[in-house]
Amino acid sequence: SVTTIGSGAFRECSGLKSVEIADGVDCIKMRAFYGCEALADIRIPNNIKIKSNKTLLKRKKNDNIIYKE
């Protein structure tokens, strides 16, 4: 099973519109979703470690980031 989303894993993925990170994932590394400008809905477990503020940069202004309980 996946526990880490690697650095740049989905970088510049222009067709990616929404993501729900599984509960087993505990780490999202730097720039994993960088440049995913269509990505507007992200659901993330509360226990997740985001390695850099650049992980989720360069997306639409009206995005919806929800931390799952």
Side-chain angles (χ1 to χ4, degrees):
S1 68
V2 175
T3 58
T4 299
I5 297 176
S7 180
F10 296 97
R11 184 181 177 132
E12 306 291 338
C13 220
S14 61
L16 192 60
K17 295 179 182 176
S18 68
V19 170
E20 181 165 350
I21 308 297
D23 290 335
V25 174
D26 59 12
C27 180
I28 301 175
K29 293 200 174 178
M30 195 165 141
R31 294 190 173 130
F33 296 99
Y34 185 86
C36 296
E37 294 182 8
L39 182 57
D41 185 43
I42 306 169
R43 296 176 187 272
I44 301 175
N46 279 332
N47 65 327
I48 203 102
K49 293 178 192 135
I50 296 177
K51 292 293 185 179
S52 166
N53 63 353
K54 294 181 180 179
T55 296
L56 302 171
L57 285 180
K58 201 177 171 191
R59 293 180 344 273
K60 286 170 127 183
K61 290 181 182 175
N62 295 325
D63 19 356
N64 185 23
I65 300 174
I66 297 171
Y67 288 89
K68 300 186 297 183
E69 306 234 0

